[in-house]
Amino acid sequence: MLDKIVEIRKDLEQSLETIKTAKDLEEFRGKFLVKKGIIQKLFEELKTVPSELKPQIGKEVNILSKFAENEYNRLKEILSTSSAETSYIDTTLPGRTSYKGSFHPVRQIMEEMVEIFKSIGFDVAEGPQIEDEFHNFDALNFQPDHPARDMQDTFFIKTPGDTNNILLRTHTSPVQIRVMKSQKPPIRCIMPGRTYRNEAISSRSLAEFHQIEGLYINKDVSFAELKATMISFSKKMYGEDSEFRFRPSYFPFTEPSAEVDISCYLCKGVGCRICKNSGWLEIAGCGMVHPNVLLAGGIDPNEYMGYAFGFGIERVAMLQTGIDDIRCFYENDIRVLQQF
Ligand code: DAH
């Protein structure tokens, strides 16, 4: 029996050397340590050993049993810590972020402007970007020889046999005519949209840009109401402390006409690069609707009058964002767009 114990110990030690994985260790346990395993069998055989030999052989079986158990526990410990190491997750690594999109800054400003006008009672209307010369010029009281009609300023679209002179609208003012023709006064409406001009591209102008047109038609409308509307809109947009001035100007479709300047947001009127040292920034054109325009829109100028205005949205967006080159809006540089 002692020989057998020595044999088993050899076998056990050899088995220990081959243990590399948790599966090997489990096989080891199945062979030596379970109820029907080799060591348990030795304990059973011990019953048949003559009683004078029992203490010595019993001691050897015990030593072997303890050794097998200790080795099993030791290897179990090692394998469990090493498998934790291989599946270790480094939680300090920066994660992979997904980028969230947002509306284009010009779009955001346009919606902000629309919301302000809606809150002071204006409806919203839209018109076509491809217009005809009548709506874009004639109906707005542009004389036949007005320089804006020149190909240098306007993108005309050649369509065979067409006598209506199709063009890309140069401003949102033609939508005024469409609104007057389709609605009965009183009319209180804004008309946002994209416009086109055959301009040389520079830091201040593009061939494609956006405007918001405004129109109010009623029985008694005064220039003071126009001023109040422009000022209350602009204070909401630029803050209560901004200042305004109205400069006399000329547009064929309004009489009298004015341009609205706001105190420069950057230097607060002192003079800087953005406002070209004047302290003022031009934000809109406006005026009282010319009787000829009312007539072209099918409205009797003896009964009704009104005011109109037009904002350049990119100009407003430049003021709001501090971007001083208009081209930045349309170069699709993600580093610029991501900021808004
Ligand atoms: N249509 C003008 C432009 O593109 C802007 C404008 C000025 C619109 C005065 C108006 C207005 O309605 O009354 O420069």
Side-chain angles (χ1 to χ4, degrees):
M1 178 110 181
L2 279 175
D3 289 347
K4 195 170 178 186
I5 294 173
V6 171
E7 276 299 299
I8 292 175
R9 176 146 188 145
K10 258 195 207 157
D11 183 20
L12 193 145
E13 281 174 355
Q14 269 175 9
S15 302
L16 284 172
E17 273 169 31
T18 61
I19 295 174
K20 296 270 177 315
T21 65
K23 197 175 158 243
D24 300 338
L25 186 64
E26 194 49 30
E27 273 171 22
F28 172 85
R29 194 178 75 89
K31 186 170 170 187
F32 295 100
L33 293 173
V34 292
K35 256 199 174 148
K36 288 185 177 159
I38 291 175
I39 291 175
Q40 198 54 40
K41 271 195 191 133
L42 278 180
F43 278 114
E44 266 153 38
E45 271 177 44
L46 200 58
K47 290 174 194 157
T48 62
V49 168
S51 50
E52 68 274 17
L53 291 175
K54 254 185 197 160
Q56 195 206 343
I57 295 179
K59 196 177 159 199
E60 289 302 320
V61 177
N62 264 332
I63 290 172
L64 181 68
S65 165
K66 271 269 157 299
F67 174 72
E69 243 171 66
N70 288 344
E71 283 301 286
Y72 171 78
N73 287 333
R74 186 179 65 82
L75 290 171
K76 193 174 169 188
E77 179 85 24
I78 293 172
L79 288 175
S80 71
T81 53
S82 70
S83 76
E85 255 163 36
T86 52
S87 64
Y88 172 67
I89 296 168
D90 183 357
T91 49
T92 63
L93 272 178
R96 285 187 205 111
T97 47
S98 54
Y99 292 107
K100 222 163 115 200
S102 59
F103 281 116
H104 189 278
V106 169
R107 173 101 215 167
Q108 287 182 33
I109 301 280
M110 184 154 117
E111 284 184 4
E112 203 179 318
M113 295 173 80
V114 168
E115 284 311 311
I116 293 175
F117 278 117
K118 272 176 156 175
S119 76
I120 51 179
F122 282 79
D123 296 328
V124 182
E126 279 182 294
Q129 293 177 31
I130 299 174
E131 261 298 1
D132 52 50
E133 205 170 358
F134 171 76
H135 287 91
N136 198 81
F137 293 125
D138 300 292
L140 290 163
N141 201 32
F142 280 80
Q143 294 310 301
D145 56 353
H146 194 286
R149 296 185 189 239
D150 198 279
M151 296 251 287
Q152 301 287 314
D153 295 307
T154 305
F155 288 115
F156 283 94
I157 299 170
K158 287 247 168 306
T159 42
D162 181 45
T163 50
N164 222 2
N165 275 351
I166 302 299
L167 47 83
L168 293 178
R169 67 179 179 196
T170 57
H171 49 179
T172 42
S173 304
V175 193
Q176 284 187 26
I177 304 298
R178 294 184 180 273
V179 167
M180 284 188 232
K181 283 209 265 185
S182 63
Q183 293 180 26
K184 285 210 173 336
I187 295 170
R188 195 198 293 262
C189 197
I190 52 160
M191 300 141 253
R194 190 172 290 195
T195 50
Y196 305 84
R197 269 180 218 175
N198 198 355
E199 297 261 15
I201 291 171
S202 73
S203 64
R204 294 175 74 81
S205 53
L206 289 173
E208 204 180 324
F209 52 101
H210 296 79
Q211 290 187 337
I212 286 192
E213 194 77 16
L215 180 69
Y216 176 53
I217 308 282
N218 210 338
K219 292 227 153 121
D220 277 311
V221 182
S222 69
F223 197 90
E225 283 174 89
L226 166 61
K227 273 180 89 172
T229 306
M230 300 306 277
I231 290 175
S232 86
F233 161 78
S234 303
K235 286 202 180 242
K236 282 195 171 144
M237 194 78 195
Y238 301 107
E240 283 299 318
D241 58 345
S242 23
E243 293 192 42
F244 304 91
R245 69 177 188 189
F246 286 72
R247 268 184 298 111
S249 186
Y250 172 78
F251 300 102
F253 35 91
T254 44
E255 183 59 38
S257 305
E259 271 167 317
V260 188
D261 294 346
I262 182 175
S263 52
C264 176
Y265 70 97
L266 198 67
C267 63
K268 304 274 177 249
V270 178
C272 70
R273 182 176 52 97
I274 301 280
C275 61
K276 293 192 175 154
N277 282 325
S278 69
W280 295 98
L281 293 156
E282 184 195 317
I283 54 166
C286 62
M288 303 306 289
V289 181
H290 196 289
N292 288 351
V293 175
L294 292 171
L295 275 178
I299 290 174
D300 181 358
N302 294 318
E303 207 181 336
Y304 288 102
M305 57 204 302
Y307 64 69
F309 54 84
F311 286 85
I313 299 180
E314 278 79 1
R315 173 59 63 89
V316 177
M318 285 167 84
L319 295 185
Q320 293 287 86
T321 58
I323 288 179
D324 61 0
D325 188 326
I326 195 169
R327 292 168 290 197
C328 285
F329 287 128
Y330 299 109
E331 278 167 352
N332 284 338
D333 185 332
I334 203 81
R335 292 166 303 179
V336 174
L337 301 178
Q338 244 169 12
Q339 297 174 47
F340 304 101

